[in-house]
Amino acid sequence: MSTTHAERSPDALDAGIALVRPALRAAVRDYLSHETELVAGYHHGWSDEQGRPTEEWSGKLVRPSLALLSARSTGADPADGVAAAVAVELVHNFSLLHDDIMDNDSARRGRATAWTLFGVPRAILAGDALLAAATGVLLDSGKPGAGTAANSLATATRRMISGQAADVEFERRDDVTLDECLRMAGDKTGALLSCACSIGAELLGAEAELLHRLARFGEHIGVAFQLVDDLLGIWGEPERTGKQVLADIRVRKKSLPLVFALNEGGSDELSALYHGSEPLDEKQVHRVAELVERAGGREWTHEELARRVAGARECLEHDGLPRSVREELLEMAAFLTDRRF
């Protein structure tokens, strides 16, 4: 199978990995206690549960790579944005440690999740320690915008937590509106991506208009990423997604295509099936997917995805943004949103 543009790793990711990985490990070592460092090191893939070194793995480092591009948007060397890149990745991993517990997930990328090996309390505390370290990394950077960047990261973190709380609440409700679901996606997924796209420039004291455009770009891409994820959760190919076919329907997830269909064009049959309490059998799962598509859920999601991607592109139409940075940001956007489904 040939590799598409969106399936290739953007150059910005390779550059981000080279700059951020050693700084990320140093931050975990310097800001965490021995007990929390052990859990965090395992979670990042640097060590096993005994603390013995393993093959280095830190995920794709998408958010740090965006933060480095953000720093470059000011004309600075990407190395000047490393503190911002590390901080946003620490927050991301704080959320992953806690998410694994909330979702009762026993594996992440082929390894046992931290809480299953170290216990829930230690995993929670390691996540808390990463969050606290993120602020320390920014404030200790000595950069001109350290204080405002730390405040922006805190705001993004509060939004992310608010979105996660809404997502949990939606599991208990049958009256979730499309506006609520879009707001939840913007908070849960878009907030930290938005921050990643602007925090490097903010750390270096960039002007307000550039920061606004970069943040809006990231917000659009974050929601677009969630839209793609929701499409894949229903209509994705298992060999690509790693999920069971129609996975989101099986667990009655309040994903955007479903919420659109239930609110805008759904039938009584769809509502009865999706709001029921008994597990859906195979016939019912496929029937829900059919009803969602018939109600326009799939078409609307594709259209909203196109609107978000177009909006992201418009945000980068700024005279002060170097052309090379704009092109690399668009390449990252394609990498995140142009997945096959």
Side-chain angles (χ1 to χ4, degrees):
M1 182 182 299
S2 62
T3 302
T4 67
H5 168 77
E7 290 172 328
R8 293 197 304 267
S9 294
D11 292 341
L13 278 182
D14 296 333
I17 288 170
L19 277 173
V20 174
R21 270 188 176 171
L24 183 61
R25 294 192 70 163
V28 170
R29 181 187 66 241
D30 294 344
Y31 286 88
L32 272 64
S33 68
H34 172 72
E35 293 77 14
T36 51
E37 181 190 354
L38 179 63
V39 180
Y42 172 83
H43 167 76
H44 281 92
W46 305 329
S47 60
D48 65 14
E49 62 271 30
Q50 301 299 323
R52 296 172 298 212
T54 58
E55 184 177 349
E56 186 170 341
W57 163 74
S58 301
K60 294 177 181 177
L61 299 183
V62 168
R63 290 156 190 82
S65 299
L66 289 168
L68 295 181
L69 283 172
S70 173
R72 283 180 52 202
S73 72
T74 68
D77 188 282
D80 290 332
V82 167
V86 168
V88 79
E89 184 66 5
L90 289 170
V91 171
H92 176 55
N93 280 279
F94 141 75
S95 73
L96 296 181
L97 276 163
H98 287 199
D99 284 351
D100 286 342
I101 296 167
M102 290 188 295
D103 297 338
N104 202 36
D105 286 336
S106 60
R108 176 174 290 279
R109 295 189 176 95
R111 302 175 86 222
T113 46
W115 72 270
T116 65
L117 296 177
F118 298 96
V120 170
R122 290 183 71 185
I124 290 173
L125 290 170
D128 294 344
L130 292 179
L131 180 59
T135 302
V137 166
L138 288 173
L139 294 179
D140 292 341
S141 69
K143 300 298 183 183
T148 57
N151 187 57
S152 292
L153 184 59
T155 299
T157 304
R158 289 195 297 272
R159 284 188 59 200
M160 179 181 67
I161 293 170
S162 176
Q164 290 171 322
D167 196 23
V168 171
E169 181 194 0
F170 290 175
E171 296 176 7
R172 302 190 298 269
R173 288 177 48 193
D174 294 340
D175 60 346
V176 178
T177 68
L178 186 59
D179 284 344
E180 285 180 307
C181 201
L182 280 168
R183 184 163 56 251
M184 180 274 291
D187 288 341
K188 181 181 178 181
T189 309
L192 196 57
L193 276 169
S194 174
C195 183
C197 288
S198 60
I199 193 171
E202 187 167 18
L203 184 67
L204 301 179
E207 50 96 10
E209 175 63 19
L210 177 61
L211 294 179
H212 173 73
R213 285 179 173 271
L214 290 171
R216 288 297 298 156
F217 167 82
E219 185 93 15
H220 281 304
I221 292 305
V223 176
F225 181 85
Q226 187 61 59
L227 288 160
V228 172
D229 206 51
D230 287 354
L231 285 166
L232 291 170
I234 301 176
W235 297 287
E237 300 172 7
E239 58 270 22
R240 287 181 175 272
T241 65
K243 296 180 179 180
Q244 188 180 19
V245 66
L246 305 176
D248 285 355
I249 291 177
R250 295 177 193 280
V251 297
R252 289 188 169 97
K253 181 180 177 181
K254 301 296 196 312
S255 67
L256 284 158
L258 259 300
V259 172
F260 175 89
L262 287 165
N263 282 277
E264 305 298 329
S267 63
D268 291 340
E269 181 186 3
L270 175 60
S271 181
L273 283 169
Y274 216 64
H275 294 151
S277 57
E278 295 298 319
L280 296 168
D281 61 31
E282 283 301 300
K283 183 177 179 180
Q284 290 172 322
V285 166
H286 285 271
R287 179 59 175 165
V288 168
E290 178 186 344
L291 291 170
V292 169
E293 187 151 12
R294 185 182 297 179
R298 188 174 189 174
E299 181 181 7
W300 173 85
T301 306
H302 277 284
E303 290 174 350
E304 183 65 17
L305 171 60
R307 285 192 291 271
R308 293 288 178 167
V309 171
R313 294 183 68 92
E314 289 176 10
C315 289
L316 300 184
E317 297 296 334
H318 180 57
D319 291 340
L321 186 66
R323 181 176 178 180
S324 61
V325 174
R326 179 179 184 274
E327 290 174 351
E328 290 190 60
L329 283 170
L330 291 175
E331 187 179 21
M332 288 289 289
F335 177 75
L336 290 169
T337 64
D338 194 19
R339 293 172 285 170
R340 296 298 185 94
F341 40 82

Coordinates of all heavy atoms in Angstrom, one line a residue, residues 12-17 20 60-70 85 332:
A12 N 8.1 18.6 10.8 CA 8.1 19.2 12.1 C 8.1 18.2 13.3 O 8.6 18.5 14.4 CB 6.8 20.1 12.2
L13 N 7.5 17.0 13.1 CA 7.5 16.0 14.1 C 8.9 15.5 14.3 O 9.3 15.3 15.5 CB 6.6 14.8 13.7 CG 5.1 15.0 14.0 CD1 4.4 13.8 13.6 CD2 4.8 15.3 15.4
D14 N 9.7 15.2 13.3 CA 11.0 14.8 13.4 C 11.9 15.8 14.2 O 12.7 15.4 15.1 CB 11.6 14.5 12.1 CG 10.9 13.3 11.3 OD1 10.4 12.5 12.0 OD2 10.9 13.3 10.1
A15 N 11.7 17.1 13.8 CA 12.5 18.1 14.5 C 12.1 18.2 16.0 O 12.9 18.4 16.9 CB 12.3 19.4 13.8
G16 N 10.8 18.1 16.2 CA 10.3 18.2 17.6 C 10.8 17.0 18.5 O 11.2 17.3 19.6
I17 N 10.8 15.8 17.9 CA 11.3 14.7 18.7 C 12.8 14.9 19.1 O 13.2 14.7 20.2 CB 11.1 13.4 17.9 CG1 9.7 13.0 17.8 CG2 12.0 12.2 18.5 CD1 9.4 11.9 16.8
V20 N 12.8 17.9 21.8 CA 12.0 17.8 23.0 C 12.3 16.6 23.9 O 12.2 16.7 25.1 CB 10.5 17.8 22.6 CG1 9.6 17.6 23.8 CG2 10.2 19.2 21.9
K60 N 4.0 10.5 19.8 CA 4.3 11.2 18.5 C 4.8 12.7 18.8 O 5.4 13.3 17.9 CB 3.1 11.3 17.6 CG 2.7 9.9 17.1 CD 1.4 10.0 16.3 CE 1.0 8.6 15.8 NZ -0.3 8.6 15.1
L61 N 4.6 13.2 20.0 CA 5.0 14.6 20.3 C 4.4 15.6 19.4 O 5.1 16.5 19.0 CB 6.5 14.7 20.4 CG 7.2 13.8 21.4 CD1 8.7 14.0 21.4 CD2 6.7 14.0 22.8
V62 N 3.1 15.4 19.1 CA 2.4 16.4 18.2 C 2.3 17.7 18.8 O 2.7 18.8 18.2 CB 1.0 15.8 17.8 CG1 0.2 16.9 17.1 CG2 1.1 14.6 16.9
R63 N 1.9 17.8 20.0 CA 1.7 19.1 20.7 C 3.0 19.9 20.9 O 3.1 21.1 20.6 CB 0.9 18.9 22.0 CG -0.5 18.5 21.8 CD -1.1 17.8 23.0 NE -2.4 17.2 22.6 CZ -2.6 16.1 22.0 NH1 -1.5 15.4 21.6 NH2 -3.8 15.6 21.7
P64 N 4.1 19.2 21.3 CA 5.4 19.9 21.4 C 5.9 20.4 20.0 O 6.5 21.5 20.0 CB 6.3 18.8 22.0 CG 5.5 17.9 22.7 CD 4.2 17.9 21.9
S65 N 5.6 19.6 19.0 CA 6.1 20.0 17.7 C 5.3 21.3 17.2 O 5.9 22.2 16.6 CB 5.9 18.9 16.7 OG 6.6 17.8 17.0
L66 N 4.0 21.4 17.6 CA 3.3 22.6 17.3 C 3.8 23.8 18.1 O 3.8 24.9 17.6 CB 1.8 22.3 17.6 CG 1.1 21.4 16.6 CD1 -0.3 21.0 17.2 CD2 0.9 22.0 15.2
A67 N 4.2 23.5 19.3 CA 4.7 24.6 20.1 C 6.0 25.1 19.6 O 6.3 26.4 19.6 CB 4.9 24.1 21.6
L68 N 6.9 24.3 19.0 CA 8.1 24.7 18.4 C 7.8 25.5 17.1 O 8.5 26.5 16.9 CB 9.0 23.5 18.1 CG 9.5 22.7 19.3 CD1 10.4 21.6 18.8 CD2 10.3 23.6 20.3
L69 N 6.9 25.1 16.3 CA 6.5 25.9 15.2 C 6.0 27.2 15.6 O 6.2 28.2 14.9 CB 5.4 25.1 14.4 CG 5.9 24.0 13.5 CD1 4.7 23.2 12.9 CD2 6.8 24.5 12.4
S70 N 5.2 27.3 16.7 CA 4.7 28.5 17.2 C 5.9 29.5 17.6 O 5.8 30.7 17.3 CB 3.9 28.2 18.5 OG 3.5 29.4 19.1
A85 N 7.2 23.7 24.6 CA 7.0 22.4 24.1 C 6.9 21.3 25.2 O 6.0 20.5 25.2 CB 8.0 22.0 23.0
M332 N 1.0 19.7 9.4 CA 0.6 19.1 10.7 C -0.9 19.0 10.7 O -1.4 17.9 11.2 CB 1.1 20.0 11.8 CG 2.6 19.9 12.1 SD 3.2 18.3 12.7 CE 2.6 18.4 14.4

